[in-house]
Amino acid sequence: AGWLTVAQAIRKRSSFCKHVLYQVVTLALLAVIFDLMTGFLRWSFDYVIPALCAFAMIVIGITSIIRRQHITDYIIYMVLSSVFGIVPLLLPGGPTVPWPTVLTAAAGIIYLAALLLFVGRDTWRELRRRLHL
């Protein structure tokens, strides 16, 4: 698992935000696999996936502030990280320990609302451009 994440980090070094999202997906899949191998107690859905999603939102937000590039370079990654934060709430069976998932989903909704509120025009323009809407 460690070598897989390191290999991915070396291969995907073009965009830091893209790398963060790839790592979230990779680590979430690895956590689910390990959870399945240890009897599927759902700890991956209850704790690991919400923590990874919250971490991605924080890291991408801080990166967009520190690098001071144009907001359109980060918008798609910010939207995806907020959607990733909402998705664990919608997983089948629901969480057995709801508070981490609910907090992450609330943070994802607030993050997405803030994006639409503060840079809504750029967000819609970038989504239309990238998703061909």
Side-chain angles (χ1 to χ4, degrees):
W3 283 112
L4 180 65
T5 58
V6 168
Q8 184 179 13
I10 291 170
R11 209 177 103 234
K12 298 287 183 193
R13 58 185 166 194
S14 61
S15 170
F16 180 74
C17 293
K18 187 186 296 187
H19 169 69
V20 169
L21 290 179
Y22 278 126
Q23 288 294 325
V24 166
V25 171
T26 303
L27 293 173
L29 288 174
L30 288 172
V32 170
I33 290 169
F34 288 146
D35 193 10
L36 288 170
M37 290 171 40
T38 59
F40 196 58
L41 300 173
R42 297 184 62 88
W43 54 264
S44 60
F45 290 125
D46 291 337
Y47 299 108
V48 176
I49 293 174
L52 288 171
C53 293
F55 177 73
M57 284 187 278
I58 292 167
V59 167
I60 292 172
I62 290 172
T63 301
S64 67
I65 292 169
I66 291 174
R67 287 204 174 167
R68 297 181 189 217
Q69 291 177 340
H70 198 269
I71 192 71
T72 57
D73 297 335
Y74 296 103
I75 286 217
I76 194 73
Y77 303 114
M78 290 176 163
V79 169
L80 282 173
S81 67
S82 65
V83 169
F84 282 172
I86 297 168
V87 167
L89 191 61
L90 307 173
L91 290 174
T96 55
V97 181
W99 64 268
T101 307
V102 170
L103 284 175
T104 304
I109 291 169
I110 291 169
Y111 198 72
L112 192 57
L115 276 175
L116 293 175
L117 181 65
F118 295 117
V119 286
R121 184 177 297 134
D122 290 335
T123 302
W124 287 116
R125 187 178 325 127
E126 192 66 20
L127 285 176
R128 270 189 249 119
R129 186 177 75 84
R130 298 237 182 170
L131 301 177
H132 306 290
L133 297 176

